[in-house]
Each structure stands twice: as structure tokens, then as C-alpha cells.
Amino acid sequence: MPLNIAILASGSGSNAQAMIDKAAAGVLDVNICCIVCNRPGAGVIERARKAGVTCVVLDHKEFADRESFDLAVVQTLQDHGAQLIVLAGYMRILSTAFLEAFSGRVINIHPALLPSFPGVHGGADACEYGVKISGCTVHFVEEKMDSGPVIIQAAVPVNPGEEVDDLMQRIHAMEHRIYPQAIQWFAQNRISVWGREVHVAPGTASTVTPDGPWLVWPPLEQGF
């Protein structure tokens, strides 16, 4: 049976689109049971409509506090049978109540190589700092921002004099590859966590030979 995933998004939804496309192509063994968006008018809503994916819009401004909003989101996710919660540009810090409802089943992607440069502006902060290598990280979500165990990371070089937008475009391209890959490992029940170490059990798919100046570990598999 495909894994029921729910996507939480606040913006344009480019990572959500990557998941929609991989699922439609039969590469990703999931059913996107719903997308939840907290910002009316966000681009991800139209992406969901075009793909025929259920999208529930819950405006966080209409709730008294963070916990009451999160409880409404939790109820929505449970009603749709979500098994894995995938944050894709979701600009909200999750409450304890939310994380307890889906313990060990919430993942996120960050546009930097954690634990370096956490926070909303991680990619820009890395570029401003003058790093030579940047990238992105898929990780489990904990109460502390960008602190959970790392599942997969992609590294890309930072070119001399490169504008932040150009670097972020290359990082986003890798996000759209490693995030669906991590979800596929979940769908195949290949992920286990030992303390802070995330282990991926061997699969049957062959790995991808890098087609550019990037490094991903654990390696990408065919289709990603």
C-alpha cells in the first residue's frame, strides 16, 4: 500500500510540486492525501487544484493562539489518514501538541547544511558568511528549530562572486531531488533512527552517478 503523506506549505509550493510530479510518474510510492496551507492565496493552492490533490486552507490568523491552530491542523491530518507529515516551505514553528500527535513522523527540508546556518535565512546566511560549500538538508522535526536528526544532505559549491539568488536556485534544484528520495525511503520502510543517527537500509535500486558539481549522501537512487 502506498504511504499516505500530507504536505504542509505556506508559499509557492515548488517542493510540493516535485512530490506531486514524482508520485504522478510512479517513482514515489505515496498517496498525497492532502495539502494543508495556512496562507489564503498561496501558490501551492493552485498547484494542488491542478493536480487534483485535496487542499485544506486554514488561516492561522483566525485562531486564538498557536496551539489551537495546530490542533485544528492535527485534526485535519488525522481525518485524511496522514501517516507522514512533510513540511514544504511551511513558515510555522510546530507546537508540542502537534509533534506529540505525529511523533517521529514529521520531516522538513532546510536550504543549508545543518547544523550550520539554521533559521529562516539559512541559505543567505551561508552565502554572506563566505562558505565554499552550501546545500540542503532533510531532517526530522523537533521542538528546537532545524535541530532534528539528519536524513539526507546535498552539497553544492559556492561560486566566487555568486549572487544569493543564483546559489539558491541550484540548492532548490537539489531540494527537489533529495526530498522525494527521503520520502521514498519512508514509503519503503527503510529508515530507522538510533539516537541522532539516521540509518537507511539497503534497497534494490541502483544509485545515481552525479550529473553535475554536487554530492548527495546517502546516495540518490534511480528516479531521483
Side-chain angles (χ1 to χ4, degrees):
M1 295 291 291
L3 180 71
N4 272 352
I5 70 167
I7 302 171
L8 272 56
S10 302
S12 68
S14 64
N15 268 306
Q17 187 67 59
M19 297 167 202
I20 290 169
D21 292 345
K22 290 294 185 185
V27 175
L28 196 52
D29 298 326
V30 303
N31 169 50
I32 303 175
C33 61
C34 69
I35 293 175
V36 176
C37 179
N38 67 305
R39 290 184 176 172
V44 71
I45 300 170
E46 178 62 13
R47 292 181 188 270
R49 187 195 66 79
K50 288 182 177 179
V53 175
T54 298
C55 185
V56 180
V57 181
L58 294 173
D59 188 347
H60 64 275
K61 296 178 182 178
E62 296 181 355
F63 292 80
D65 51 38
R66 181 161 62 102
E67 185 159 336
S68 61
F69 171 73
D70 274 8
L71 289 174
V73 175
V74 166
Q75 187 63 60
T76 298
L77 298 174
Q78 291 175 339
D79 290 345
H80 286 83
Q83 297 170 291
L84 178 69
I85 313 304
V86 180
L87 309 188
Y90 187 60
M91 305 306 290
R92 302 277 301 173
I93 295 176
L94 300 179
S95 64
T96 300
F98 188 107
L99 293 174
E100 288 179 347
F102 293 99
S103 179
R105 293 183 290 146
V106 185
I107 61 174
N108 190 23
I109 192 158
H110 181 71
L113 294 174
L114 294 174
S116 298
F117 308 106
V120 177
H121 305 294
D125 291 344
C127 196
E128 183 178 343
Y129 190 86
V131 299
K132 302 304 181 185
I133 296 175
S134 190
C136 46
T137 305
V138 180
H139 62 96
F140 284 97
V141 176
E142 298 180 337
E143 289 196 47
K144 184 179 178 181
M145 182 184 292
D146 299 329
S147 66
V150 170
I151 301 168
I152 183 173
Q153 291 181 301
V156 299
V158 180
N159 299 321
E162 186 171 30
E163 295 292 333
V164 173
D165 287 348
D166 293 333
L167 171 61
M168 294 309 299
Q169 184 175 353
R170 293 189 294 113
I171 290 174
H172 289 325
M174 295 311 301
E175 287 182 9
H176 300 163
R177 298 179 72 172
I178 69 170
Y179 212 177
Q181 174 69 88
I183 294 168
Q184 179 66 1
W185 289 335
F186 272 97
Q188 295 172 329
N189 198 30
R190 291 168 57 191
I191 288 184
S192 58
V193 183
W194 305 351
R196 288 199 56 85
E197 291 186 5
V198 177
H199 293 258
V200 180
T204 58
S206 58
T207 57
V208 174
T209 300
D211 53 4
W214 53 263
L215 171 66
V216 171
W217 200 262
L220 290 172
E221 297 172 349
Q222 288 299 323
F224 300 95

